[in-house]
């Protein structure tokens, strides 16, 4: 037994090493804090006026919290944090990224506490306990410095991931603390059980309202209970904790099922509809994720920053079990691993290995299975990777018991430095928009989004020039937009960018571009991203900022109408834009037809009714307008102002007609 003075010195030393990890994190990420807003940052943060609060009140915070439907639960805590970020630190990216880094630092401290607790529970020998702080620090440093976590820090909108992880880690640590506090007692005190369950519930809610993956917290706790505590001190007869925890788990399961069956756009009832706007089916996604998960495992254990990036839209979709053949190999490998896991669990051997793998699987159960999200994102490993962090700590423990502490420490330090230097290298590309865009496209030239972003950067440089007709920026922008089209037949964003690019220098849209868009519109899935770009361009055309021949619009509109892959909401909105354009051109009958189709596709939206009624009034069809107005009053009686306005317009039409 060490004297108290020695224990205090050891604790101070370990706190110093933890502070050193924090210092290295500051060095790694400092250069990237001045970096740009990118991609989803604009829709969720930069262009979200509800976040730009100038006074701190419940009303402004409430508006900010529910300003975006980022997921089934809306992620109000994350949205509130963005609003507070703006209020206290202003609109610059520096303030937002600095807060992200602070959250990552907090999470690093929480990960250290978690790894230390898990390792001490698994290996209770005196020798292991004396070394546990040492190898837990190394394992924590590996997680903190790992380059796969970079986007969770410097990609502003991914605060949703790190903030959710923070609440999740607090909840798990609190639960473990309560269990360890009374681990040797036959029965835990009722107050402690109640506190444990309350904290579990509270932090599950806080985590899931930051991002829906927080709903996985009870499952992580169940893994910890099964592998670390084995229900010691708990029993069904005298302990209410198990009953309450079971109810909580059932409630969580109902919440998850409710999310799938009922809520928002993630319901099973609408899965077919959602998958219609993805370039892959449900079965193709599941097959592809078998390969994606091995990609994650490879990047976690042997990180290769040349294969890491913001976008992985070039990841090959598995069309069937042998296309590509690596799909079959991946599934077989997972099957073999599953058999090994079952054998280890039943024989009670290598429990840390089973615990680590199950942790990784559970962490991916929501984002890497059936939910129709995009296929690959590195930030999805922020919490699942901890399963391997526990394994790293175990490897260090075994090594320290067999070799000298100095040798293992040198190897561990070398690995940490390699990870830190890799992340530092990646972070250096985030200094500016141009550096990031060009480095991403150089690292991953088969990504359509990377080429599109590089083209946008050259486009922005072109906009700042006085003489643009022979600019090299025009040439580079065009090359990247055309490359974006070549590498991905399902992403047509480059075509709309080319339309605008030629418009800037006074050139007409080239006929072959319209041919290509028409072909893609007829034969390819109109993805959500394609739909957004189409609406954006149509808005530019309607405003008069983008010149285009009327025959081109008609061809694109006809191709769009023939394609049924869009969701009803997206389809209705696009048809309405075509209707507005036709009305502006004086083609009233055509405009009415588009508005009628929009209403038929999404009759729950009152704006579609209002557009059609106003178009009929403008066309002079008072009878048709009156019939729809009567239906409108019954269906949307609460929209009194709109009803009165249209009634007045109809009365004016009749008066003028009379």
């Amino acid at each position: 037994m060490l004297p108290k003075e020695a224990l205090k010195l050891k604790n101070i030393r370990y706190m110093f090493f933890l502070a050193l990890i924090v210092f290295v994190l500051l060095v790694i990420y400092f250069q990237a804090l001045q970096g740009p807003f990118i991609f989803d940052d604009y829709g969720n943060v930069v262009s979200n006026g509800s976040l730009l609060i100038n006074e701190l009140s419940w009303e402004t915070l409430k508006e900010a919290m529910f300003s975006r439907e980022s997921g089934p639960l809306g992620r109000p805590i994350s949205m509130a944090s963005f609003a507070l970020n703006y209020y206290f630190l202003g609109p610059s990216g520096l303030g937002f990224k600095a807060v992200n880094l602070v959250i990552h630092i907090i999470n690093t401290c929480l990960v250290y506490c978690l790894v230390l607790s898990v390792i001490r529970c698994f290996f209770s020998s005196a020798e292991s306990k004396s070394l546990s702080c040492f190898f837990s620090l190394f394992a924590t440093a590996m997680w903190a410095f790992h380059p796969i976590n970079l986007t969770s820090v410097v990609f502003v909108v991914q605060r949703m991931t790190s903030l959710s992880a923070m609440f999740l880690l607090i909840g798990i640590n609190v639960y473990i603390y309560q269990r360890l506090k009374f681990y040797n007692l036959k029965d835990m005190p009722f107050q402690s059980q109640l506190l444990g369950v309350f904290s579990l519930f509270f932090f599950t809610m806080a985590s899931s309202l930051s991002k829906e993956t927080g709903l996985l917290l009870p499952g992580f706790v169940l893994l910890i209970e099964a592998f670390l505590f084995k229900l010691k001190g708990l029993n069904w007869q005298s302990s209410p904790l198990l009953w309450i925890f079971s109810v909580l788990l059932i409630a969580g399961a109902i919440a998850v099922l409710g999310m799938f069956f009922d809520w928002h756009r993630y319901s099973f009832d609408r899965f077919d509809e959602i998958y219609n706007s993805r370039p892959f089916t449900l079965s193709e996604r599941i097959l592809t994720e078998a390969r994606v998960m091995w990609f994650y495992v490879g990047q976690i254990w042997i990180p290769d920053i040349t294969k890491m990036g913001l976008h992985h839209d070039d990841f090959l979709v598995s069309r069937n079990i042998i296309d590509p053949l690596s799909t079959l190999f991946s599934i077989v490998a997972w099957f073999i691993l599953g058999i090994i896991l079952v054998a280890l669990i039943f024989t009670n051997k290598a429990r840390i290995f089973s615990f680590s793998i199950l942790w990784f699987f559970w962490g991916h159960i929501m984002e890497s299975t059936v939910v129709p999200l995009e296929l690959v994102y590195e930030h999805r490993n922020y919490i699942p990777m901890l399963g391997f962090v526990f394994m790293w700590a175990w490897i260090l423990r075994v090594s320290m018991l067999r070799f000298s502490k100095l040798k293992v420490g040198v190897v561990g330090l070398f690995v940490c430095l390699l990870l830190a230097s890799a992340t530092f290298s990646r972070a250096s590309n985030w200094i500016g928009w141009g550096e990031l865009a060009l480095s991403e496209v150089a690292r991953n030239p088969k990504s359509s989004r990377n080429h599109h972003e590089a083209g946008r950067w050259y486009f922005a440089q072109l906009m700042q020039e006085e003489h643009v007709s022979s600019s090299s920026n025009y040439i580079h922008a065009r090359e990247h937009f055309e490359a974006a089209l070549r590498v991905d037949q399902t992403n047509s964003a480059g075509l709309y960018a080319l339309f605008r690019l030629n418009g800037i220098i006074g050139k007409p849209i080239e006929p072959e571009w319209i041919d290509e868009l028409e072909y893609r519109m007829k034969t390819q899935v109109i993805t959500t991203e394609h739909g957004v770009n189409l609406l954006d361009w149509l808005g530019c055309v309607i405003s008069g900022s983008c010149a285009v021949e009327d025959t081109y619009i008609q061809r694109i509109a006809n191709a769009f109408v023939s394609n049924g892959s869009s969701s009803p909401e997206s389809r209705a909105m696009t048809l309405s834009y075509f209707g507005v354009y036709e009305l502006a051109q004086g083609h009233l009958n055509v405009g009415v037809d588009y508005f009628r189709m929009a209403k038929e596709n999404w009759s729950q939206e009152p704006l579609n009714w209002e557009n059609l009624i106003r178009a009929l009034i403008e066309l002079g069809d008072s009878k048709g307008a009156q019939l729809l107005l009567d239906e409108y009053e019954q269906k949307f009686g609460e929209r009194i102002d709109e009803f009165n306005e249209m009634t007045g317009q109809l009365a004016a039409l009749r008066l003028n007609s009379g």
Side-chain angles (χ1 to χ4, degrees):
M1 182 75 68
L2 290 172
K4 290 184 178 180
E5 292 77 10
L7 286 173
K8 288 181 179 179
L9 288 174
K10 286 189 68 175
N11 289 335
I12 292 173
R13 184 173 61 183
Y14 291 132
M15 289 303 103
F16 169 77
F17 285 129
L18 190 59
L20 184 60
I21 292 174
V22 172
F23 174 75
V24 174
L25 282 173
L26 293 173
V27 173
I28 290 172
Y29 285 106
F30 180 78
Q31 57 187 334
L33 298 183
Q34 295 282 0
F37 290 105
I38 56 167
F39 199 46
D40 287 345
D41 288 344
Y42 286 96
N44 288 281
V45 181
V46 180
S47 303
N48 187 352
S50 298
L51 300 183
L52 311 182
I53 61 175
N54 295 313
E55 61 172 311
L56 198 58
S57 66
W58 169 243
E59 286 73 22
T60 57
L61 271 181
K62 183 179 179 181
E63 184 179 354
M65 290 166 69
F66 301 101
S67 59
R68 284 290 183 273
E69 294 183 345
S70 301
L73 301 180
R75 306 177 186 181
I77 293 179
S78 293
M79 302 309 294
S81 78
F82 291 135
L84 293 171
N85 212 140
Y86 175 85
Y87 180 78
F88 288 107
L89 299 176
S92 74
L94 174 62
F96 285 90
K97 292 174 187 286
V99 172
N100 279 20
L101 179 55
V102 170
I103 293 172
H104 184 59
I105 289 171
I106 293 171
N107 288 343
T108 298
C109 298
L110 292 169
V111 166
Y112 170 68
C113 295
L114 176 59
V115 174
L116 183 62
S117 298
V118 168
I119 293 301
R120 283 183 169 176
C121 287
F122 266 110
F123 310 106
S124 56
S125 67
E127 190 174 10
S128 291
K129 284 193 173 182
S130 66
L131 295 173
S132 57
C133 290
F134 189 74
F135 50 72
S136 294
L137 278 169
F138 272 110
T140 299
M142 292 177 193
W143 178 86
F145 301 156
H146 205 291
I148 205 170
N149 283 334
L150 177 129
T151 53
S152 300
V153 180
V154 295
F155 189 1
V156 171
V157 79
Q158 286 313 319
R159 179 182 303 177
M160 296 175 179
T161 295
S162 58
L163 190 62
S164 175
M166 185 184 76
F167 290 120
L168 184 144
L169 289 167
I170 294 174
I172 293 174
N173 276 298
V174 169
Y175 182 85
I176 292 177
Y177 172 78
Q178 285 294 319
R179 291 292 280 121
L180 288 175
K181 189 175 180 181
F182 302 101
Y183 183 65
N184 292 320
L185 297 181
K186 184 178 180 181
D187 293 313
M188 284 182 64
F190 174 77
Q191 296 86 343
S192 297
Q193 297 180 62
L194 194 60
L195 177 61
V197 171
F198 173 78
S199 64
L200 181 63
F201 173 78
F202 176 82
F203 288 111
T204 297
M205 291 298 99
S207 182
S208 59
L209 292 176
S210 300
K211 188 178 179 179
E212 290 72 19
T213 46
L215 291 169
L216 301 177
L217 195 158
F220 285 124
V221 169
L222 191 60
L223 275 176
I224 288 169
E225 186 63 53
F227 279 87
L228 271 62
F229 302 118
K230 299 181 179 179
L231 306 181
K232 184 177 179 181
L234 306 176
N235 59 75
W236 291 100
Q237 290 76 25
S238 61
S239 174
L241 179 60
L242 287 180
W243 291 102
I244 300 174
F245 183 67
S246 299
V247 170
L248 187 62
L249 281 177
I250 293 171
I254 292 173
V256 172
L257 290 174
M259 179 176 69
F260 287 146
F261 281 106
D262 237 353
W263 301 346
H264 198 259
R265 58 192 179 93
Y266 289 92
S267 62
F268 279 147
D269 287 343
R270 299 187 61 188
F271 263 24
D272 288 341
E273 175 187 310
I274 301 166
Y275 273 108
N276 281 339
S277 62
R278 293 289 188 195
F280 48 81
T281 64
L282 171 59
S283 61
E284 288 171 345
R285 187 181 201 279
I286 293 173
L287 289 172
T288 307
E289 287 301 322
R291 293 168 40 241
V292 170
M293 292 283 279
W294 280 120
F295 170 75
Y296 291 154
V297 172
Q299 288 290 49
I300 290 170
W301 281 89
I302 310 175
D304 180 358
I305 61 173
T306 64
K307 295 181 180 178
M308 291 185 182
L310 180 63
H311 301 297
H312 291 279
D313 51 305
D314 61 325
F315 201 93
L316 188 62
V317 176
S318 295
R319 298 305 176 186
N320 55 60
I321 200 168
I322 57 171
D323 181 17
L325 192 58
S326 56
T327 307
L328 177 60
F329 297 150
S330 297
I331 293 173
V332 170
W334 285 124
F335 181 73
I336 293 172
L337 181 60
I339 293 175
I340 294 172
L341 274 179
V342 171
L344 290 176
I345 291 172
F346 274 97
T347 57
N348 200 31
K349 294 180 180 179
R351 291 171 54 248
I352 185 68
F353 177 82
S354 303
F355 175 75
S356 298
I357 297 298
L358 289 174
W359 182 288
F360 179 75
F361 279 150
W362 181 250
H364 277 291
I365 196 71
M366 188 177 291
E367 293 183 302
S368 300
T369 52
V370 298
V371 179
L373 304 170
E374 294 193 35
L375 294 173
V376 190
Y377 273 116
E378 293 166 11
H379 65 258
R380 292 174 184 170
N381 292 278
Y382 196 72
I383 287 297
M385 186 171 66
L386 289 178
F388 297 130
V389 174
F390 303 138
M391 203 178 295
W392 295 340
W394 170 74
I395 292 171
L396 287 167
R397 169 191 174 270
V398 172
S399 300
M400 286 180 183
L401 294 177
R402 293 186 178 183
F403 306 102
S404 71
K405 188 176 179 181
L406 177 61
K407 289 180 179 179
V408 176
V410 169
V411 173
L413 181 62
F414 178 71
V415 172
C416 288
L417 288 176
L418 281 179
L419 293 171
S421 62
T423 305
F424 182 86
S425 177
R426 285 196 72 189
S428 65
N429 295 326
W430 288 69
I431 295 176
W433 182 17
E435 291 86 350
L436 176 61
L438 297 181
S439 66
E440 287 287 312
V441 80
R443 183 182 293 113
N444 193 353
K446 294 183 179 180
S447 166
S448 177
R449 285 179 178 170
N450 284 344
H451 278 292
H452 186 261
E453 194 65 17
R456 285 186 63 242
W457 184 76
Y458 282 115
F459 189 106
Q461 308 315 301
L462 180 69
M463 294 285 288
Q464 298 175 13
E465 297 180 358
E466 293 183 8
H467 305 288
V468 299
S469 58
S470 60
S471 170
S472 63
N473 285 318
Y474 169 82
I475 296 172
H476 289 312
R478 176 166 177 156
E479 286 174 348
H480 282 293
F481 289 142
E482 289 177 339
L485 296 173
R486 285 196 304 272
V487 298
D488 187 355
Q489 294 295 312
T490 66
N491 190 341
S492 300
L495 283 168
Y496 300 109
L498 286 169
F499 295 168
R500 291 191 173 191
L501 182 65
N502 268 20
I504 290 297
I505 65 172
K507 286 186 176 182
I509 294 175
E510 298 181 14
E512 57 266 28
W513 294 346
I514 295 297
D515 294 340
E516 179 66 20
L517 180 58
E518 185 178 34
Y519 171 77
R520 292 190 179 201
M521 199 84 79
K522 288 180 177 179
T523 60
Q524 300 291 334
V525 169
I526 299 179
T527 63
T528 302
E529 188 173 3
H530 185 171
V532 169
N533 281 285
L534 173 58
L535 286 176
D536 187 45
W537 179 66
L538 286 175
C540 182
V541 171
I542 291 168
S543 69
S545 301
C546 296
V548 60
E549 293 183 21
D550 184 56
T551 54
Y552 288 169
I553 293 292
Q554 293 174 8
R555 287 172 60 187
I556 294 170
N558 291 335
F560 176 82
V561 170
S562 68
N563 190 316
S565 62
S566 301
S567 67
E569 294 89 340
S570 176
R571 186 173 178 81
M573 192 176 299
T574 306
L575 289 167
S576 294
Y577 270 58
F578 282 124
V580 171
Y581 170 82
E582 294 297 345
L583 288 185
Q585 301 303 307
H587 307 150
L588 300 185
N589 284 305
V590 179
V592 166
D593 289 340
Y594 282 124
F595 286 133
R596 197 181 304 278
M597 285 189 287
K599 182 187 84 67
E600 291 171 355
N601 275 273
W602 192 14
S603 61
Q604 297 85 355
E605 172 55 51
L607 186 60
N608 293 331
W609 289 71
E610 294 161 13
N611 287 336
L612 178 56
I613 292 170
R614 290 190 175 106
L616 287 171
I617 292 172
E618 189 172 346
L619 184 63
D621 185 358
S622 59
K623 184 177 180 181
Q626 184 63 62
L627 289 173
L628 279 176
L629 195 59
D630 293 340
E631 290 184 54
Y632 176 90
E633 183 182 17
Q634 295 178 0
K635 195 175 183 67
F636 307 106
E638 72 282 357
R639 296 175 68 87
I640 298 174
D641 293 341
E642 290 79 1
F643 175 77
N644 289 337
E645 180 186 351
M646 290 185 291
T647 301
Q649 292 171 347
L650 184 57
L653 170 65
R654 286 169 173 163
L655 182 63
N656 293 333
S657 299

